[in-house]
Amino acid sequence: MPPKPLDYGSINENVKKSQYAVRGELYLRASELQKEGKKIIFTNVGNPHALGQRPLTFPRQVVALCQAPFLLDDPNVGLLFPADAIARAKHYLSLTSGGLGAYSDSRGLPGIRKEIAEFILKRDGYPSDPELIYLTDGASKGVMQILNTIIRGQDDGILVPVPQYPLYSATIALLGGTLVPYYLEETANWGLDVNELRKSVEQARFRGITVKAMVIINPGNPTGQCVSEANLREILQFCYQENLALLGDEVYQQNIYQDERPFISSKKVLMDLGPPISKEVQLISFHSVSKGYYGECGQRGGYFEMTNIPPETVDEIYKVASISLSPNVPAQIFMGVMINPLKPGDISYDQFVRESNGILESLRRRARIMTDGFNSCRNVVCNFTEGAMYSFPQIRLPPRAIDAAKQAGKVADVFYCLKLLEATGISTVPGSGFGQKEGVFHLRTTILPAEEDMPAIMDSFKKFNDEFMEQYEDNRGYSRL
Ligand code: DCS
Protein backbone atom coordinates (compact mmCIF):
# COMPACT_ATOMS: atom_id res chain seq x y z
CA MET A 1 0.00 0.00 0.00
CA PRO A 2 1.41 3.45 -0.85
CA PRO A 3 1.45 5.96 2.02
CA LYS A 4 -1.85 7.77 2.47
CA PRO A 5 -1.95 11.53 1.81
CA LEU A 6 -2.13 12.44 5.48
CA ASP A 7 0.40 9.90 6.73
CA TYR A 8 3.22 11.70 8.50
CA GLY A 9 5.69 10.98 5.69
CA SER A 10 3.36 12.52 3.11
CA ILE A 11 2.46 15.83 4.70
CA ASN A 12 3.91 19.27 3.95
CA GLU A 13 7.48 19.36 5.29
CA ASN A 14 7.12 23.06 6.10
CA VAL A 15 4.40 22.20 8.61
CA LYS A 16 6.87 19.97 10.44
CA LYS A 17 9.62 22.59 10.36
CA SER A 18 7.42 25.26 11.88
CA GLN A 19 8.08 25.44 15.66
CA TYR A 20 6.07 27.38 18.25
CA ALA A 21 7.65 27.19 21.68
CA VAL A 22 5.03 29.23 23.55
CA ARG A 23 2.88 26.10 23.43
CA GLY A 24 5.82 23.64 23.19
CA GLU A 25 7.36 20.96 25.40
CA LEU A 26 7.14 22.96 28.62
CA TYR A 27 3.49 23.80 28.10
CA LEU A 28 2.63 20.18 27.31
CA ARG A 29 4.41 18.94 30.44
CA ALA A 30 2.68 21.62 32.51
CA SER A 31 -0.70 20.50 31.17
CA GLU A 32 0.13 16.88 32.09
CA LEU A 33 1.12 17.88 35.62
CA GLN A 34 -2.06 19.88 35.96
CA LYS A 35 -4.11 16.83 35.00
CA GLU A 36 -2.26 14.94 37.73
CA GLY A 37 -3.52 17.52 40.20
CA LYS A 38 -0.43 19.76 40.57
CA LYS A 39 -1.06 23.50 40.86
CA ILE A 40 0.45 25.15 37.78
CA ILE A 41 1.13 28.85 37.34
CA PHE A 42 0.87 29.35 33.59
CA THR A 43 3.25 32.16 32.82
CA ASN A 44 4.06 30.85 29.36
CA VAL A 45 1.40 32.76 27.42
CA GLY A 46 0.57 36.46 27.51
CA ASN A 47 -3.08 35.68 28.21
CA PRO A 48 -4.17 38.11 30.97
CA HIS A 49 -7.73 36.90 31.52
CA ALA A 50 -6.49 33.31 31.99
CA LEU A 51 -4.52 34.62 34.98
CA GLY A 52 -7.47 36.35 36.54
CA GLN A 53 -7.56 39.80 34.88
CA ARG A 54 -11.17 40.90 34.81
CA PRO A 55 -12.67 42.24 31.61
CA LEU A 56 -13.26 45.98 31.39
CA THR A 57 -16.93 46.69 31.96
CA PHE A 58 -17.74 49.13 29.17
CA PRO A 59 -16.53 47.19 26.12
CA ARG A 60 -18.22 44.04 27.39
CA GLN A 61 -21.48 45.94 27.90
CA VAL A 62 -21.33 47.27 24.35
CA VAL A 63 -20.56 43.89 22.82
CA ALA A 64 -23.15 42.13 25.02
CA LEU A 65 -25.81 44.48 23.68
CA CYS A 66 -24.61 43.99 20.11
CA GLN A 67 -24.77 40.22 20.62
CA ALA A 68 -28.27 40.38 22.10
CA PRO A 69 -29.90 43.31 20.29
CA PHE A 70 -33.34 42.30 21.59
CA LEU A 71 -32.17 43.68 24.95
CA LEU A 72 -32.12 47.09 23.34
CA ASP A 73 -35.89 46.82 22.83
CA ASP A 74 -36.50 45.87 26.45
CA PRO A 75 -37.99 48.77 28.41
CA ASN A 76 -35.74 47.83 31.35
CA VAL A 77 -32.48 47.93 29.41
CA GLY A 78 -31.57 51.22 31.08
CA LEU A 79 -31.62 49.52 34.48
CA LEU A 80 -28.85 47.13 33.52
CA PHE A 81 -26.82 49.12 31.00
CA PRO A 82 -25.60 52.73 31.11
CA ALA A 83 -26.84 55.07 28.41
CA ASP A 84 -23.42 55.46 26.80
CA ALA A 85 -23.05 51.68 26.35
CA ILE A 86 -26.54 51.54 24.84
CA ALA A 87 -25.74 54.39 22.47
CA ARG A 88 -22.44 52.82 21.47
CA ALA A 89 -24.05 49.43 20.84
CA LYS A 90 -26.67 51.06 18.60
CA HIS A 91 -23.92 52.91 16.80
CA TYR A 92 -21.88 49.78 16.08
CA LEU A 93 -24.94 47.77 15.10
CA SER A 94 -25.76 50.50 12.60
CA LEU A 95 -22.31 49.99 11.06
CA THR A 96 -22.97 46.30 10.43
CA SER A 97 -25.09 44.89 7.68
CA GLY A 98 -27.22 42.49 9.69
CA GLY A 99 -25.65 42.56 13.16
CA LEU A 100 -22.92 40.35 14.53
CA GLY A 101 -24.28 37.24 12.85
CA ALA A 102 -23.53 38.56 9.38
CA TYR A 103 -20.18 38.42 7.58
CA SER A 104 -18.65 41.83 7.17
CA ASP A 105 -16.59 43.08 4.24
CA SER A 106 -13.42 40.97 4.08
CA ARG A 107 -11.40 44.00 5.16
CA GLY A 108 -13.68 44.65 8.13
CA LEU A 109 -16.60 47.01 8.69
CA PRO A 110 -16.00 50.29 6.83
CA GLY A 111 -17.26 52.33 9.81
CA ILE A 112 -14.76 50.72 12.19
CA ARG A 113 -11.92 51.14 9.71
CA LYS A 114 -12.81 54.83 9.58
CA GLU A 115 -12.66 55.03 13.38
CA ILE A 116 -9.26 53.30 13.38
CA ALA A 117 -8.02 55.87 10.84
CA GLU A 118 -9.21 58.63 13.19
CA PHE A 119 -7.42 56.97 16.11
CA ILE A 120 -4.18 56.82 14.10
CA LEU A 121 -4.52 60.48 13.09
CA LYS A 122 -4.98 61.44 16.73
CA ARG A 123 -2.09 59.25 17.91
CA ASP A 124 0.44 60.23 15.23
CA GLY A 125 -0.71 63.60 13.94
CA TYR A 126 -0.77 62.27 10.37
CA PRO A 127 -3.80 61.24 8.35
CA SER A 128 -4.54 57.59 7.77
CA ASP A 129 -6.64 56.12 4.98
CA PRO A 130 -9.38 53.67 6.07
CA GLU A 131 -9.01 51.93 2.71
CA LEU A 132 -5.52 50.87 3.80
CA ILE A 133 -6.63 49.45 7.16
CA TYR A 134 -7.70 45.81 7.31
CA LEU A 135 -9.22 44.13 10.34
CA THR A 136 -8.00 40.64 11.16
CA ASP A 137 -8.66 37.77 13.58
CA GLY A 138 -5.96 38.87 16.03
CA ALA A 139 -2.70 40.45 14.87
CA SER A 140 -1.41 36.92 14.18
CA LYS A 141 -3.60 36.48 11.12
CA GLY A 142 -2.52 39.87 9.79
CA VAL A 143 1.15 39.03 10.19
CA MET A 144 0.61 35.69 8.45
CA GLN A 145 -1.27 37.33 5.63
CA ILE A 146 1.44 39.91 5.02
CA LEU A 147 4.29 37.39 5.21
CA ASN A 148 2.33 35.23 2.77
CA THR A 149 2.13 38.19 0.40
CA ILE A 150 5.85 38.90 0.64
CA ILE A 151 7.47 35.45 0.60
CA ARG A 152 7.82 33.81 -2.82
CA GLY A 153 10.14 31.01 -1.79
CA GLN A 154 13.27 30.06 0.08
CA ASP A 155 15.36 32.80 -1.52
CA ASP A 156 13.21 35.50 0.07
CA GLY A 157 14.51 36.57 3.47
CA ILE A 158 12.84 38.36 6.36
CA LEU A 159 14.98 40.09 8.97
CA VAL A 160 13.71 39.05 12.37
CA PRO A 161 15.05 40.10 15.77
CA VAL A 162 16.64 37.45 17.96
CA PRO A 163 15.21 36.90 20.51
CA GLN A 164 11.83 37.11 18.70
CA TYR A 165 8.23 36.09 19.18
CA PRO A 166 7.99 32.73 17.36
CA LEU A 167 4.94 33.72 15.28
CA TYR A 168 7.57 35.08 12.91
CA SER A 169 9.96 32.12 12.73
CA ALA A 170 7.05 29.65 12.58
CA THR A 171 5.23 31.49 9.80
CA ILE A 172 8.36 32.04 7.73
CA ALA A 173 9.09 28.30 8.01
CA LEU A 174 5.51 27.46 7.10
CA LEU A 175 5.69 29.62 4.01
CA GLY A 176 9.05 28.20 2.99
CA GLY A 177 10.93 31.51 3.27
CA THR A 178 14.23 32.26 5.00
CA LEU A 179 14.58 33.90 8.38
CA VAL A 180 17.50 36.30 8.51
CA PRO A 181 18.31 36.92 12.17
CA TYR A 182 19.58 40.16 13.67
CA TYR A 183 20.67 40.05 17.28
CA LEU A 184 19.44 42.44 19.93
CA GLU A 185 22.12 43.49 22.39
CA GLU A 186 21.26 42.33 25.87
CA THR A 187 23.95 44.43 27.57
CA ALA A 188 22.47 47.53 25.90
CA ASN A 189 19.00 46.84 27.27
CA TRP A 190 18.12 44.76 24.19
CA GLY A 191 18.99 47.66 21.92
CA LEU A 192 19.20 47.38 18.17
CA ASP A 193 22.48 48.22 16.48
CA VAL A 194 22.20 49.23 12.82
CA ASN A 195 25.72 47.94 12.10
CA GLU A 196 24.55 44.55 13.29
CA LEU A 197 21.60 44.81 10.92
CA ARG A 198 23.83 45.72 8.02
CA LYS A 199 26.04 42.71 8.73
CA SER A 200 23.05 40.37 8.77
CA VAL A 201 21.78 41.70 5.45
CA GLU A 202 25.23 41.45 3.83
CA GLN A 203 25.71 37.88 5.00
CA ALA A 204 22.26 36.87 3.75
CA ARG A 205 22.83 38.51 0.37
CA PHE A 206 26.15 36.72 0.11
CA ARG A 207 24.19 33.47 0.43
CA GLY A 208 21.93 34.52 -2.44
CA ILE A 209 18.98 35.60 -0.29
CA THR A 210 16.84 38.56 -1.35
CA VAL A 211 16.18 40.31 1.94
CA LYS A 212 12.72 41.82 1.52
CA ALA A 213 11.45 42.94 4.88
CA MET A 214 12.41 43.66 8.44
CA VAL A 215 10.34 42.94 11.52
CA ILE A 216 10.48 45.07 14.65
CA ILE A 217 8.51 44.25 17.77
CA ASN A 218 7.99 47.44 19.78
CA PRO A 219 7.64 47.12 22.75
CA GLY A 220 9.59 43.89 22.54
CA ASN A 221 8.45 40.34 23.07
CA PRO A 222 10.11 38.51 24.81
CA THR A 223 12.67 41.22 25.57
CA GLY A 224 10.44 44.01 26.93
CA GLN A 225 12.43 46.97 25.54
CA CYS A 226 10.84 50.16 24.20
CA VAL A 227 12.50 51.37 21.01
CA SER A 228 13.58 55.01 21.09
CA GLU A 229 12.55 57.54 18.49
CA ALA A 230 16.18 57.94 17.38
CA ASN A 231 16.52 54.21 16.94
CA LEU A 232 13.29 54.03 14.91
CA ARG A 233 14.60 56.79 12.69
CA GLU A 234 17.80 54.83 12.06
CA ILE A 235 15.80 51.69 11.31
CA LEU A 236 13.62 53.48 8.77
CA GLN A 237 16.64 55.08 7.12
CA PHE A 238 18.21 51.65 6.97
CA CYS A 239 15.07 50.19 5.34
CA TYR A 240 15.17 53.03 2.81
CA GLN A 241 18.83 52.46 1.95
CA GLU A 242 18.48 48.69 1.75
CA ASN A 243 15.08 48.64 0.05
CA LEU A 244 13.31 46.73 2.81
CA ALA A 245 9.67 46.83 3.85
CA LEU A 246 9.18 47.37 7.57
CA LEU A 247 6.72 45.23 9.53
CA GLY A 248 6.03 47.08 12.78
CA ASP A 249 4.52 44.80 15.39
CA GLU A 250 3.01 47.30 17.82
CA VAL A 251 0.56 45.10 19.70
CA TYR A 252 2.01 46.22 23.06
CA GLN A 253 1.75 49.96 22.40
CA GLN A 254 -0.36 50.50 25.54
CA ASN A 255 1.90 48.36 27.76
CA ILE A 256 4.57 50.87 28.81
CA TYR A 257 6.12 50.80 32.30
CA GLN A 258 8.63 53.66 32.24
CA ASP A 259 8.39 57.34 31.36
CA GLU A 260 11.64 57.99 29.48
CA ARG A 261 10.56 56.33 26.25
CA PRO A 262 6.83 56.57 25.67
CA PHE A 263 5.49 54.54 22.74
CA ILE A 264 6.04 56.13 19.36
CA SER A 265 4.71 54.45 16.26
CA SER A 266 6.83 53.56 13.24
CA LYS A 267 4.26 55.35 11.10
CA LYS A 268 4.76 58.64 12.95
CA VAL A 269 8.54 58.43 12.74
CA LEU A 270 8.30 57.56 9.05
CA MET A 271 6.08 60.58 8.38
CA ASP A 272 8.32 62.82 10.51
CA LEU A 273 11.29 61.89 8.30
CA GLY A 274 9.58 63.55 5.32
CA PRO A 275 10.19 62.80 1.66
CA PRO A 276 11.73 60.91 0.02
CA ILE A 277 11.76 58.36 2.88
CA SER A 278 8.17 58.99 4.00
CA LYS A 279 6.94 58.39 0.46
CA GLU A 280 9.13 55.40 -0.29
CA VAL A 281 9.49 53.05 2.65
CA GLN A 282 6.75 50.43 2.65
CA LEU A 283 5.40 49.94 6.15
CA ILE A 284 2.79 47.62 7.62
CA SER A 285 1.85 48.21 11.28
CA PHE A 286 -0.04 45.71 13.42
CA HIS A 287 -2.29 46.15 16.44
CA SER A 288 -4.50 43.89 18.56
CA VAL A 289 -7.23 43.78 21.21
CA SER A 290 -5.31 40.98 22.97
CA LYS A 291 -2.85 43.20 24.84
CA GLY A 292 -2.84 46.60 26.51
CA TYR A 293 -5.31 46.80 29.40
CA TYR A 294 -7.98 45.05 27.35
CA GLY A 295 -6.17 41.70 27.22
CA GLU A 296 -9.09 40.31 25.23
CA CYS A 297 -7.02 37.50 23.68
CA GLY A 298 -9.93 35.14 23.20
CA GLN A 299 -11.89 37.62 21.11
CA ARG A 300 -9.31 37.46 18.31
CA GLY A 301 -9.33 41.06 17.10
CA GLY A 302 -6.60 42.94 15.27
CA TYR A 303 -5.84 45.23 12.36
CA PHE A 304 -2.98 46.25 10.13
CA GLU A 305 -2.36 49.56 8.41
CA MET A 306 -0.50 49.74 5.11
CA THR A 307 1.64 52.72 4.14
CA ASN A 308 3.19 53.24 0.70
CA ILE A 309 1.85 49.92 -0.60
CA PRO A 310 0.84 50.12 -4.28
CA PRO A 311 -2.90 49.71 -5.03
CA GLU A 312 -2.39 46.52 -7.07
CA THR A 313 -0.77 44.84 -4.07
CA VAL A 314 -3.50 46.13 -1.74
CA ASP A 315 -6.04 44.56 -4.10
CA GLU A 316 -4.25 41.21 -3.96
CA ILE A 317 -4.21 41.34 -0.16
CA TYR A 318 -7.95 42.10 -0.29
CA LYS A 319 -8.52 39.17 -2.62
CA VAL A 320 -6.69 36.78 -0.29
CA ALA A 321 -8.58 38.17 2.74
CA SER A 322 -11.81 37.47 0.81
CA ILE A 323 -11.02 33.76 0.77
CA SER A 324 -11.77 33.74 4.51
CA LEU A 325 -14.87 35.86 3.83
CA SER A 326 -14.76 38.07 6.88
CA PRO A 327 -12.80 38.78 10.03
CA ASN A 328 -14.55 37.98 13.28
CA VAL A 329 -17.27 40.63 13.64
CA PRO A 330 -17.66 40.78 17.48
CA ALA A 331 -13.89 41.34 17.71
CA GLN A 332 -14.22 44.26 15.31
CA ILE A 333 -16.56 45.89 17.80
CA PHE A 334 -13.96 45.37 20.56
CA MET A 335 -11.41 47.03 18.32
CA GLY A 336 -13.83 49.88 17.70
CA VAL A 337 -14.37 50.49 21.42
CA MET A 338 -10.66 50.13 22.14
CA ILE A 339 -9.46 52.74 19.66
CA ASN A 340 -12.36 55.07 20.35
CA PRO A 341 -12.36 55.16 24.14
CA LEU A 342 -14.76 56.96 26.43
CA LYS A 343 -14.21 60.67 26.96
CA PRO A 344 -14.33 62.78 30.11
CA GLY A 345 -17.96 63.55 30.84
CA ASP A 346 -19.28 60.23 29.50
CA ILE A 347 -21.33 58.40 32.13
CA SER A 348 -19.03 55.38 32.19
CA TYR A 349 -15.80 57.36 31.89
CA ASP A 350 -14.75 57.32 35.55
CA GLN A 351 -15.28 53.61 35.93
CA PHE A 352 -13.41 52.95 32.68
CA VAL A 353 -10.43 55.04 33.81
CA ARG A 354 -10.44 53.40 37.22
CA GLU A 355 -10.41 49.93 35.69
CA SER A 356 -7.86 50.56 32.95
CA ASN A 357 -5.46 52.56 35.15
CA GLY A 358 -5.78 49.91 37.84
CA ILE A 359 -4.58 47.26 35.40
CA LEU A 360 -1.77 49.33 33.92
CA GLU A 361 -0.47 50.56 37.27
CA SER A 362 -0.47 47.04 38.64
CA LEU A 363 1.39 45.75 35.57
CA ARG A 364 3.98 48.46 36.11
CA ARG A 365 4.48 47.36 39.73
CA ARG A 366 4.57 43.70 38.71
CA ALA A 367 7.25 44.43 36.07
CA ARG A 368 9.36 45.91 38.86
CA ILE A 369 8.73 43.08 41.34
CA MET A 370 9.72 40.48 38.73
CA THR A 371 12.86 42.20 37.52
CA ASP A 372 14.05 42.86 41.06
CA GLY A 373 13.18 39.31 42.04
CA PHE A 374 15.19 37.80 39.22
CA ASN A 375 18.14 40.08 39.85
CA SER A 376 18.25 38.93 43.48
CA CYS A 377 18.87 35.33 42.37
CA ARG A 378 22.19 33.58 42.03
CA ASN A 379 23.55 33.62 38.44
CA VAL A 380 20.50 35.43 37.07
CA VAL A 381 20.58 38.83 35.36
CA CYS A 382 17.54 40.57 33.99
CA ASN A 383 16.89 43.80 32.12
CA PHE A 384 13.93 45.83 33.36
CA THR A 385 10.66 45.16 31.54
CA GLU A 386 10.13 48.60 30.00
CA GLY A 387 7.03 47.47 28.14
CA ALA A 388 4.99 44.50 26.83
CA MET A 389 4.11 41.63 29.22
CA TYR A 390 7.24 39.60 29.76
CA SER A 391 10.40 39.25 31.74
CA PHE A 392 13.37 37.58 30.02
CA PRO A 393 16.11 36.87 32.55
CA GLN A 394 19.43 35.39 31.53
CA ILE A 395 20.26 32.26 33.49
CA ARG A 396 24.00 31.70 33.76
CA LEU A 397 24.11 27.95 33.83
CA PRO A 398 27.13 26.25 35.35
CA PRO A 399 28.95 23.81 33.00
CA ARG A 400 27.88 20.86 35.11
CA ALA A 401 24.23 21.78 34.55
CA ILE A 402 24.87 22.03 30.80
CA ASP A 403 26.51 18.57 30.92
CA ALA A 404 23.60 17.16 32.89
CA ALA A 405 21.17 18.57 30.32
CA LYS A 406 23.15 16.93 27.50
CA GLN A 407 23.02 13.62 29.32
CA ALA A 408 19.27 14.00 29.62
CA GLY A 409 19.06 14.77 25.89
CA LYS A 410 17.72 18.29 26.52
CA VAL A 411 18.73 21.77 25.48
CA ALA A 412 20.20 23.33 28.64
CA ASP A 413 17.49 25.94 29.18
CA VAL A 414 14.73 23.40 28.52
CA PHE A 415 16.35 21.25 31.21
CA TYR A 416 16.37 24.16 33.65
CA CYS A 417 12.77 25.19 32.89
CA LEU A 418 11.50 21.60 33.23
CA LYS A 419 13.16 21.32 36.64
CA LEU A 420 11.66 24.67 37.62
CA LEU A 421 8.23 23.46 36.53
CA GLU A 422 8.50 20.17 38.44
CA ALA A 423 9.75 21.89 41.60
CA THR A 424 7.48 24.95 41.71
CA GLY A 425 4.64 24.57 39.18
CA ILE A 426 5.86 27.72 37.39
CA SER A 427 5.41 27.12 33.66
CA THR A 428 7.80 29.27 31.59
CA VAL A 429 9.19 29.18 28.06
CA PRO A 430 12.91 28.41 27.56
CA GLY A 431 14.90 31.14 25.81
CA SER A 432 15.80 28.74 23.00
CA GLY A 433 12.18 29.02 21.82
CA PHE A 434 12.77 32.68 20.95
CA GLY A 435 16.38 32.41 19.77
CA GLN A 436 19.41 33.63 21.72
CA LYS A 437 23.16 33.90 21.21
CA GLU A 438 25.06 30.62 21.21
CA GLY A 439 25.90 29.43 24.73
CA VAL A 440 23.64 31.96 26.47
CA PHE A 441 20.47 30.85 28.23
CA HIS A 442 17.23 32.55 29.22
CA LEU A 443 13.69 31.90 30.16
CA ARG A 444 10.57 33.94 29.55
CA THR A 445 7.79 34.49 32.03
CA THR A 446 4.84 36.79 31.71
CA ILE A 447 4.41 39.50 34.33
CA LEU A 448 0.72 38.59 34.51
CA PRO A 449 0.18 36.53 37.69
CA ALA A 450 -1.98 38.39 40.21
CA GLU A 451 0.01 41.06 42.02
CA GLU A 452 -0.74 39.59 45.44
CA ASP A 453 0.67 36.21 44.31
CA MET A 454 3.83 37.74 42.89
CA PRO A 455 6.05 37.83 46.01
CA ALA A 456 5.36 34.14 46.75
CA ILE A 457 6.05 33.19 43.11
CA MET A 458 9.36 35.05 43.14
CA ASP A 459 10.31 33.49 46.49
CA SER A 460 9.58 30.05 45.15
CA PHE A 461 11.60 30.81 41.97
CA LYS A 462 14.54 32.06 44.02
CA LYS A 463 14.51 29.03 46.28
CA PHE A 464 14.50 26.67 43.28
CA ASN A 465 17.14 28.62 41.36
CA ASP A 466 19.57 29.06 44.22
CA GLU A 467 19.33 25.36 45.11
CA PHE A 468 19.81 24.42 41.45
CA MET A 469 22.92 26.58 41.28
CA GLU A 470 24.18 25.12 44.53
CA GLN A 471 23.74 21.63 43.11
CA TYR A 472 25.51 22.23 39.81
CA GLU A 473 28.02 24.91 40.56
CA ASP A 474 31.74 24.28 40.73
CA ASN A 475 34.55 26.69 40.05
CA ARG A 476 34.83 26.22 36.30
CA GLY A 477 32.88 29.34 35.34
CA TYR A 478 29.49 29.82 33.70
CA SER A 479 27.70 30.25 30.45
CA ARG A 480 27.70 33.98 29.93
CA LEU A 481 27.55 36.72 27.37
N1 DCS B 1 2.71 39.96 18.05
C1 DCS B 1 3.34 39.78 19.22
C2 DCS B 1 4.64 40.44 19.44
C3 DCS B 1 2.75 39.00 20.21
O1 DCS B 1 3.39 38.84 21.37
C4 DCS B 1 1.50 38.40 19.97
C5 DCS B 1 0.87 37.48 20.97
C6 DCS B 1 0.90 38.62 18.73
C7 DCS B 1 1.53 39.41 17.79
C8 DCS B 1 -0.42 38.03 18.37
O2 DCS B 1 -1.48 38.50 19.09
P1 DCS B 1 -3.00 38.28 18.68
O3 DCS B 1 -3.04 37.36 17.50
O4 DCS B 1 -3.67 37.70 19.88
O5 DCS B 1 -3.51 39.62 18.33
N2 DCS B 1 1.70 37.04 22.00
C9 DCS B 1 1.72 35.69 22.45
C10 DCS B 1 2.77 35.43 23.46
O6 DCS B 1 3.94 35.62 23.32
N3 DCS B 1 2.22 34.91 24.50
O7 DCS B 1 0.89 34.85 24.37
C11 DCS B 1 0.47 35.25 23.10
Side-chain angles (χ1 to χ4, degrees):
M1 277 284 273
K4 296 203 176 85
L6 282 162
D7 285 353
Y8 192 67
S10 311
I11 64 171
N12 181 349
E13 286 300 322
N14 290 343
V15 170
K16 298 182 197 169
K17 277 189 218 143
S18 170
Q19 301 288 335
Y20 186 71
V22 172
R23 293 232 160 124
E25 180 177 353
L26 259 290
Y27 175 75
L28 297 176
R29 180 71 190 129
S31 306
E32 258 171 39
L33 288 172
Q34 191 182 37
K35 270 194 215 129
E36 290 164 18
K38 190 172 169 74
K39 184 171 178 279
I40 303 295
I41 303 151
F42 281 101
T43 70
N44 55 308
V45 186
N47 191 8
H49 291 214
L51 287 156
Q53 181 176 310
R54 287 168 53 134
L56 299 170
T57 306
F58 183 72
R60 287 293 182 105
Q61 286 171 327
V62 173
V63 176
L65 287 167
C66 290
Q67 288 282 16
F70 46 84
L71 293 178
L72 291 168
D73 302 328
D74 189 307
N76 290 327
V77 65
L79 298 176
L80 263 179
F81 293 91
D84 46 8
I86 294 171
R88 206 55 102 79
K90 286 184 177 160
H91 164 68
Y92 286 124
L93 281 173
S94 79
L95 299 181
T96 67
S97 43
L100 303 196
Y103 294 131
S104 72
D105 185 284
S106 308
R107 297 165 294 187
L109 295 163
I112 303 241
R113 293 160 64 211
K114 188 164 151 278
E115 289 182 9
I116 296 173
E118 284 157 12
F119 154 75
I120 294 171
L121 166 65
K122 212 157 147 208
R123 184 193 66 188
D124 295 343
Y126 293 101
S128 164
D129 181 354
E131 290 300 305
L132 300 175
I133 294 167
Y134 284 21
L135 285 136
T136 53
D137 294 348
S140 307
K141 281 288 159 69
V143 168
M144 294 171 101
Q145 206 178 332
I146 295 303
L147 287 174
N148 192 20
T149 309
I150 296 174
I151 295 174
R152 294 166 298 184
Q154 63 180 12
D155 292 341
D156 281 346
I158 310 289
L159 270 170
V160 174
V162 176
Q164 54 109 27
Y165 171 52
L167 163 67
Y168 292 95
S169 49
T171 307
I172 293 167
L174 204 54
L175 297 169
T178 295
L179 184 150
V180 180
Y182 66 90
Y183 287 89
L184 302 175
E185 185 48 51
E186 184 165 13
T187 54
N189 218 6
W190 297 114
L192 186 164
D193 178 354
V194 174
N195 294 322
E196 188 64 40
L197 274 177
R198 199 159 277 126
K199 256 195 271 165
S200 299
V201 171
E202 275 166 18
Q203 282 168 7
R205 289 196 177 137
F206 186 71
R207 291 191 289 135
I209 306 290
T210 308
V211 185
K212 295 188 75 182
M214 169 175 177
V215 174
I216 54 168
I217 306 175
N218 178 36
N221 174 11
T223 38
Q225 82 285 19
C226 294
V227 182
S228 69
E229 184 173 351
N231 210 189
L232 277 171
R233 225 179 287 130
E234 280 183 306
I235 292 165
L236 284 157
Q237 279 159 343
F238 175 78
C239 288
Y240 176 67
Q241 289 155 7
E242 302 292 336
N243 192 23
L244 302 174
L246 185 67
L247 310 186
D249 185 328
E250 299 178 338
V251 300
Y252 297 104
Q253 59 188 269
Q254 297 269 14
N255 296 97
I256 308 288
Y257 314 122
Q258 41 73 44
D259 302 317
E260 297 78 49
R261 270 186 303 292
F263 172 76
I264 176 159
S265 75
S266 301
K267 166 91 180 291
K268 172 168 168 48
V269 178
L270 177 61
M271 292 299 127
D272 283 349
L273 280 167
I277 298 188
S278 62
K279 296 234 180 291
E280 293 291 331
V281 173
Q282 300 181 325
L283 168 69
I284 319 261
S285 311
F286 301 91
H287 201 5
S288 170
V289 302
S290 301
K291 312 296 171 186
Y293 43 82
Y294 268 62
E296 293 274 10
C297 298
Q299 312 288 354
R300 312 308 299 127
Y303 77 77
F304 58 83
E305 183 198 17
M306 299 172 272
T307 307
N308 295 328
I309 309 296
E312 300 86 341
T313 304
V314 173
D315 286 348
E316 293 296 338
I317 295 172
Y318 183 17
K319 180 190 72 189
V320 172
S322 316
I323 302 172
S324 313
L325 294 160
S326 157
N328 187 344
V329 178
Q332 296 185 45
I333 311 291
F334 273 101
M335 183 58 86
V337 185
M338 184 177 98
I339 50 79
N340 185 7
L342 289 161
K343 296 178 182 55
D346 291 341
I347 302 162
S348 303
Y349 179 77
D350 289 346
Q351 183 183 12
F352 174 73
V353 169
R354 212 169 37 248
E355 291 174 354
S356 50
N357 283 353
I359 292 167
L360 280 179
E361 282 161 15
S362 169
L363 282 171
R364 189 186 265 248
R365 289 191 295 270
R366 283 180 268 173
R368 180 45 74 196
I369 297 171
M370 272 223 150
T371 312
D372 290 349
F374 283 129
N375 282 321
S376 77
C377 295
R378 195 155 154 181
N379 300 341
V380 178
V381 277
C382 186
N383 283 324
F384 177 61
T385 300
E386 298 176 343
M389 291 183 172
Y390 312 94
S391 187
F392 197 62
Q394 185 187 146
I395 316 290
R396 294 183 167 167
L397 293 173
R400 282 210 294 127
I402 299 174
D403 291 345
K406 255 192 218 133
Q407 300 249 318
K410 301 275 177 213
V411 178
D413 54 8
V414 174
F415 178 78
Y416 176 92
C417 290
L418 279 170
K419 289 225 176 276
L420 170 68
L421 172 66
E422 306 276 347
T424 63
I426 304 173
S427 165
T428 58
V429 186
S432 46
F434 305 93
Q436 55 200 347
K437 284 184 178 161
E438 188 65 30
V440 183
F441 302 102
H442 298 85
L443 61 79
R444 188 191 81 168
T445 74
T446 67
I447 57 166
L448 298 174
E451 192 173 343
E452 62 270 24
D453 298 338
M454 212 58 131
I457 292 172
M458 294 318 288
D459 283 351
S460 138
F461 176 85
K462 184 175 169 60
K463 182 168 176 295
F464 159 79
N465 175 80
D466 293 4
E467 282 172 15
F468 179 97
M469 294 302 168
E470 186 67 41
Q471 182 186 348
Y472 287 104
E473 226 166 8
D474 57 18
N475 296 319
R476 287 195 287 145
Y478 310 92
S479 70
R480 51 163 63 246
L481 281 174

